[in-house]
Amino acid sequence: MKKTFLYIPYLFLLGAQFLPTKLWFFPGERTTYLFFSVFFILIQSIFLFVVSKNTRMVEKLKSHIPPNWVLGILFFIFLVLYPVRNMDWGDGLLLLETNLLETKLFGFQFTLDEILETILHSEVSNLLFRIGFSDDPRVSYTFLSQLTGIGMIFGFLWTAKEKLKSNSFSITILLASGGILLTFGYAENYTLVTGCHLLLYIFVSQYTKDPKDNDLLLYGSTALVAISMLFHLVSGYLVLLLVYLWYFHSPKEKKLKHLFICSLIGFGILLPWFSYFLFFHDPAIDRNSTHLIHPPFYPKNRLLSSNHLKEILSVLYWNASIATLFLLYQFFFSKNAWKVFVKKPETKVILVSILAFFLHGFFHNPQLGFPADWDLMGFYWLPITFLAHQFWIESKEISVEWIPPFLFGTVIVVFSAITLNQENPNKEKLWETTKVTIQTYVNENKTYIDNLPKEDKKFFAKGDFLFYKGEVITNKLCDFPKKQEIIRKMKQHRIDWKKGFEDGSFKSKDSLGIFLKEATKTNVEYIKSLEANKICHPML
């Protein structure tokens, strides 16, 4: 049974290639996956039935395993060479468009959901533009994403620094996890917050070991969680970790003191930022588009459904399948070592973090579906990977039979990166057209928007540009029957949108709701037209 367990990754990949519908988490070509499956089945068999049975061969193999830092550098080269460019993964064009539009209009993009993520990407984009780079937000997203990749690789190297000689293959636990693709130049607002989470996990793992450090543990953890929440509100689930730390690591005589000071630290970090953008910043935050005010919870009648379970397992597979399999293997077949491991305080805090993000994965309703939401729904990948890494580096010996699975996972991640690096020519042309459209819109409308009340600026600009873009880009599409009708509707919606703000009629939710209902119908027609037609008149 133990040996069969090790074949699960290869057999699953092999079997999945014969399903009638291609699974979203296998973006590459079927023949390549078939080759990887068969090849690693053979490699695993050699390790299990030849290498592991020969002590001399095992020792020779261990002596030839490259150091962690060498593996990390080699992986980083792939990370730089193959940034993710597939716009079907993540928010894609919508995120790039919003970031560029708000940066051009207001200086930087900002939203309550991900304050520091959006601001930093915009400010880095502005800096890079001033020194000669393109104003395409993908430049700043790529730079910050890859910079985070360096930080994450270094973080795992640092945690294993004392045991590099006996556990030099441990870095592959990170490299074999699909979540690391966030650092492959990925254009999304989840990369920097993931880096913050790793810093938190390293911190709590270090300071839970010594009960004398409870002040530093509690205050530092609170600060790191609060900062993570400024990067992305999904970090709010880590409040569960803070409650756990306070309950189990705060001495009885310090309970009230710790609660008071931790609350002061947390709110002291969060309140100034949220208060400023809610009440003082010009323009004011768009309250219609933040999940803080409108949290998207999964429908109650679908929480316990086979489809929801498939979604959760799919994200788990894509993000951390090998690390998860490794931990399950220890649970089932190394019970004594596992029992010792889970009793450690540093292990328990990571398990609580896993639970916290599984709650998010269970209750949050993805807005776009998969693969678009793989990043938002998979925050549990990092604590799972970190925990697997901790078990590995604390082991006395390298388990040579696990070298093929982690090597396999790394190969699949790199292959996925190469696949997702390929651009869709039609979407690239649409993005280039959108960038020009944004610049033209800003030149024509910035003065008008700047003179609007601060609470109207973002909401007005968002809707006005939607109709402006719809008209301009539809004009550039190849001719089709409804083309002129969509253009006419977009023009009229833009007139009505402006009038609604000027005469105050949109202050009535009913009036605004009726308008948005009709505008949404037109936008659906526009999106369908984009899917069915190509840009034929780029110079219009």
mmCIF file of all heavy atoms in Angstrom, residues 404-419:
data_model
loop_
_atom_site.group_PDB
_atom_site.id
_atom_site.type_symbol
_atom_site.label_atom_id
_atom_site.label_comp_id
_atom_site.label_asym_id
_atom_site.label_seq_id
_atom_site.Cartn_x
_atom_site.Cartn_y
_atom_site.Cartn_z
ATOM 1 N N PRO A 404 11.270 11.336 -6.666
ATOM 2 C CA PRO A 404 10.518 11.397 -7.927
ATOM 3 C C PRO A 404 9.220 12.207 -7.842
ATOM 4 O O PRO A 404 8.963 13.027 -8.741
ATOM 5 C CB PRO A 404 10.245 9.918 -8.244
ATOM 6 C CG PRO A 404 11.353 9.188 -7.590
ATOM 7 C CD PRO A 404 11.608 9.925 -6.314
ATOM 8 N N PRO A 405 8.359 12.044 -6.793
ATOM 9 C CA PRO A 405 7.135 12.846 -6.756
ATOM 10 C C PRO A 405 7.387 14.353 -6.725
ATOM 11 O O PRO A 405 6.717 15.121 -7.427
ATOM 12 C CB PRO A 405 6.438 12.376 -5.471
ATOM 13 C CG PRO A 405 6.937 10.998 -5.255
ATOM 14 C CD PRO A 405 8.349 11.016 -5.719
ATOM 15 N N PHE A 406 8.379 14.795 -5.930
ATOM 16 C CA PHE A 406 8.649 16.224 -5.861
ATOM 17 C C PHE A 406 9.314 16.726 -7.144
ATOM 18 O O PHE A 406 9.068 17.861 -7.569
ATOM 19 C CB PHE A 406 9.489 16.562 -4.638
ATOM 20 C CG PHE A 406 8.686 16.554 -3.363
ATOM 21 C CD1 PHE A 406 8.928 15.625 -2.366
ATOM 22 C CD2 PHE A 406 7.654 17.463 -3.181
ATOM 23 C CE1 PHE A 406 8.168 15.603 -1.204
ATOM 24 C CE2 PHE A 406 6.889 17.457 -2.023
ATOM 25 C CZ PHE A 406 7.144 16.523 -1.027
ATOM 26 N N LEU A 407 10.135 15.896 -7.760
ATOM 27 C CA LEU A 407 10.708 16.256 -9.054
ATOM 28 C C LEU A 407 9.607 16.318 -10.114
ATOM 29 O O LEU A 407 9.571 17.238 -10.943
ATOM 30 C CB LEU A 407 11.765 15.228 -9.443
ATOM 31 C CG LEU A 407 12.568 15.527 -10.713
ATOM 32 C CD1 LEU A 407 13.319 16.842 -10.582
ATOM 33 C CD2 LEU A 407 13.535 14.379 -11.004
ATOM 34 N N PHE A 408 8.691 15.367 -10.062
ATOM 35 C CA PHE A 408 7.541 15.338 -10.963
ATOM 36 C C PHE A 408 6.704 16.610 -10.821
ATOM 37 O O PHE A 408 6.347 17.255 -11.817
ATOM 38 C CB PHE A 408 6.694 14.098 -10.640
ATOM 39 C CG PHE A 408 5.330 14.089 -11.284
ATOM 40 C CD1 PHE A 408 5.181 13.771 -12.620
ATOM 41 C CD2 PHE A 408 4.187 14.367 -10.531
ATOM 42 C CE1 PHE A 408 3.918 13.739 -13.211
ATOM 43 C CE2 PHE A 408 2.934 14.339 -11.100
ATOM 44 C CZ PHE A 408 2.790 14.023 -12.449
ATOM 45 N N GLY A 409 6.401 16.978 -9.578
ATOM 46 C CA GLY A 409 5.604 18.185 -9.337
ATOM 47 C C GLY A 409 6.288 19.427 -9.873
ATOM 48 O O GLY A 409 5.643 20.309 -10.456
ATOM 49 N N THR A 410 7.612 19.498 -9.705
ATOM 50 C CA THR A 410 8.367 20.648 -10.201
ATOM 51 C C THR A 410 8.321 20.715 -11.718
ATOM 52 O O THR A 410 8.145 21.795 -12.305
ATOM 53 C CB THR A 410 9.828 20.575 -9.720
ATOM 54 O OG1 THR A 410 9.848 20.474 -8.287
ATOM 55 C CG2 THR A 410 10.611 21.795 -10.153
ATOM 56 N N VAL A 411 8.471 19.576 -12.358
ATOM 57 C CA VAL A 411 8.412 19.518 -13.825
ATOM 58 C C VAL A 411 7.039 19.956 -14.321
ATOM 59 O O VAL A 411 6.924 20.722 -15.299
ATOM 60 C CB VAL A 411 8.739 18.088 -14.322
ATOM 61 C CG1 VAL A 411 8.413 17.940 -15.802
ATOM 62 C CG2 VAL A 411 10.204 17.765 -14.075
ATOM 63 N N ILE A 412 5.983 19.504 -13.649
ATOM 64 C CA ILE A 412 4.622 19.882 -14.044
ATOM 65 C C ILE A 412 4.410 21.381 -13.880
ATOM 66 O O ILE A 412 3.788 22.041 -14.733
ATOM 67 C CB ILE A 412 3.574 19.095 -13.223
ATOM 68 C CG1 ILE A 412 3.628 17.608 -13.556
ATOM 69 C CG2 ILE A 412 2.173 19.645 -13.456
ATOM 70 C CD1 ILE A 412 3.281 17.275 -14.992
ATOM 71 N N VAL A 413 4.929 21.955 -12.798
ATOM 72 C CA VAL A 413 4.797 23.402 -12.576
ATOM 73 C C VAL A 413 5.513 24.174 -13.681
ATOM 74 O O VAL A 413 4.959 25.127 -14.252
ATOM 75 C CB VAL A 413 5.358 23.799 -11.191
ATOM 76 C CG1 VAL A 413 5.544 25.317 -11.091
ATOM 77 C CG2 VAL A 413 4.424 23.325 -10.085
ATOM 78 N N VAL A 414 6.735 23.783 -14.002
ATOM 79 C CA VAL A 414 7.491 24.474 -15.048
ATOM 80 C C VAL A 414 6.802 24.307 -16.402
ATOM 81 O O VAL A 414 6.687 25.271 -17.183
ATOM 82 C CB VAL A 414 8.941 23.942 -15.110
ATOM 83 C CG1 VAL A 414 9.670 24.500 -16.326
ATOM 84 C CG2 VAL A 414 9.694 24.308 -13.836
ATOM 85 N N PHE A 415 6.312 23.100 -16.672
ATOM 86 C CA PHE A 415 5.589 22.864 -17.929
ATOM 87 C C PHE A 415 4.320 23.710 -17.991
ATOM 88 O O PHE A 415 3.980 24.265 -19.046
ATOM 89 C CB PHE A 415 5.245 21.375 -18.073
ATOM 90 C CG PHE A 415 4.402 21.065 -19.283
ATOM 91 C CD1 PHE A 415 4.897 21.290 -20.555
ATOM 92 C CD2 PHE A 415 3.113 20.569 -19.134
ATOM 93 C CE1 PHE A 415 4.119 21.015 -21.675
ATOM 94 C CE2 PHE A 415 2.326 20.298 -20.242
ATOM 95 C CZ PHE A 415 2.828 20.518 -21.518
ATOM 96 N N SER A 416 3.620 23.834 -16.878
ATOM 97 C CA SER A 416 2.424 24.687 -16.826
ATOM 98 C C SER A 416 2.795 26.136 -17.111
ATOM 99 O O SER A 416 2.079 26.848 -17.825
ATOM 100 C CB SER A 416 1.747 24.577 -15.453
ATOM 101 O OG SER A 416 1.303 23.267 -15.196
ATOM 102 N N ALA A 417 3.915 26.584 -16.537
ATOM 103 C CA ALA A 417 4.375 27.962 -16.765
ATOM 104 C C ALA A 417 4.677 28.192 -18.240
ATOM 105 O O ALA A 417 4.300 29.231 -18.807
ATOM 106 C CB ALA A 417 5.600 28.251 -15.917
ATOM 107 N N ILE A 418 5.352 27.236 -18.868
ATOM 108 C CA ILE A 418 5.677 27.354 -20.297
ATOM 109 C C ILE A 418 4.391 27.421 -21.118
ATOM 110 O O ILE A 418 4.270 28.221 -22.056
ATOM 111 C CB ILE A 418 6.561 26.174 -20.750
ATOM 112 C CG1 ILE A 418 7.925 26.249 -20.060
ATOM 113 C CG2 ILE A 418 6.727 26.162 -22.262
ATOM 114 C CD1 ILE A 418 8.802 25.029 -20.262
ATOM 115 N N THR A 419 3.406 26.602 -20.742
ATOM 116 C CA THR A 419 2.126 26.593 -21.452
ATOM 117 C C THR A 419 1.384 27.912 -21.260
ATOM 118 O O THR A 419 0.873 28.506 -22.221
ATOM 119 C CB THR A 419 1.248 25.428 -20.951
ATOM 120 O OG1 THR A 419 1.948 24.195 -21.116
ATOM 121 C CG2 THR A 419 -0.066 25.369 -21.716
#
